[in-house]
Amino acid sequence: MSKQKKSPANSGTIALNKKAKHDYFIEQRFEAGIALTGWEVKSLREGKVQLVDSYILLKNNEAFLLGAHITPLKTASTHVIADPTRTRKLLLHARELDKLVNGVQAKGFACVPLALYWKGHLVKCEIALVRGKKDFDKRQTEKERDWDREKQRVVRENHR
């Protein structure tokens, strides 16, 4: 008998929000659970999710994920009318919610999702308290990234 290997979809990151890291300075990160239905979990296992234009809404001491698009599978959601962009509740401790609410009320801060990932059999959402970047900040980040790549090239060439 051969051992069954874990599929790569069950371990690690499901989706990243690369645009958030480009558009914002990340101040503080939080890990939140997310309330999903059965067809959504099956779609996540297939990696059919996008976080690009999603954001976190804080209302009545609760957090909700808005704008995340989970594409329904044709085989998994035959008996359910699937809404790919429905509002999903995030599960956080009360003190974490207080930190988020106080941070968002401060000037210039927002709350955005950074990633969806598996933690055991559970789906977790990494959210962050962020501050917006100006255009010159984005250019500076790109310059630093290019310079780091150039340094790596020089080091590799000198070690040959």
Side-chain angles (χ1 to χ4, degrees):
M1 292 194 156
S2 64
K3 292 183 181 178
Q4 288 184 344
K5 294 182 181 178
K6 279 190 174 180
S7 66
N10 290 343
S11 60
T13 305
I14 301 167
L16 289 174
N17 189 355
K18 293 180 182 177
K19 187 177 178 185
K21 291 180 181 176
H22 181 262
D23 290 343
Y24 302 105
F25 291 114
I26 297 170
E27 300 293 330
Q28 195 171 9
R29 296 173 187 248
F30 297 93
E31 180 183 71
I34 183 168
L36 298 170
T37 59
W39 69 266
E40 291 172 331
V41 175
K42 290 179 181 181
S43 292
L44 290 178
R45 290 191 191 282
E46 296 294 319
K48 302 205 179 267
V49 62
Q50 293 178 349
L51 291 176
V52 176
D53 291 326
S54 58
Y55 59 97
I56 307 295
L57 177 69
L58 301 169
K59 185 176 179 182
N60 298 334
N61 273 344
E62 292 180 330
F64 298 97
L65 177 64
L66 279 80
H69 189 278
I70 300 177
T71 306
L73 297 175
K74 302 223 184 307
T75 58
S77 59
T78 56
H79 64 286
V80 178
I81 299 170
D83 181 15
T85 57
R86 77 173 182 91
T87 302
R88 295 164 181 93
K89 185 172 181 180
L90 294 176
L91 309 171
L92 290 156
H93 291 286
R95 67 177 180 276
E96 292 174 334
L97 274 169
D98 290 340
K99 286 181 185 177
L100 286 172
V101 169
N102 292 337
V104 168
Q105 288 175 351
K107 184 182 176 198
F109 284 94
C111 189
V112 295
L114 298 178
L116 284 176
Y117 58 93
W118 295 102
K119 189 171 185 182
H121 66 283
L122 302 173
V123 177
K124 298 292 183 174
C125 181
E126 182 180 16
I127 62 176
L129 206 53
V130 296
R131 193 169 29 92
K133 282 186 183 178
K134 305 284 189 233
D135 285 339
F136 62 86
D137 291 329
K138 294 176 189 177
R139 287 194 294 270
Q140 182 64 29
T141 303
E142 289 174 11
K143 284 180 186 176
E144 290 172 3
R145 194 179 309 130
D146 291 342
W147 173 237
D148 288 340
R149 263 190 247 127
E150 189 63 33
K151 283 194 293 190
Q152 290 294 328
R153 272 190 221 121
V154 169
V155 169
R156 267 197 314 264
E157 290 171 4
N158 288 340
H159 283 294
R160 288 183 180 179

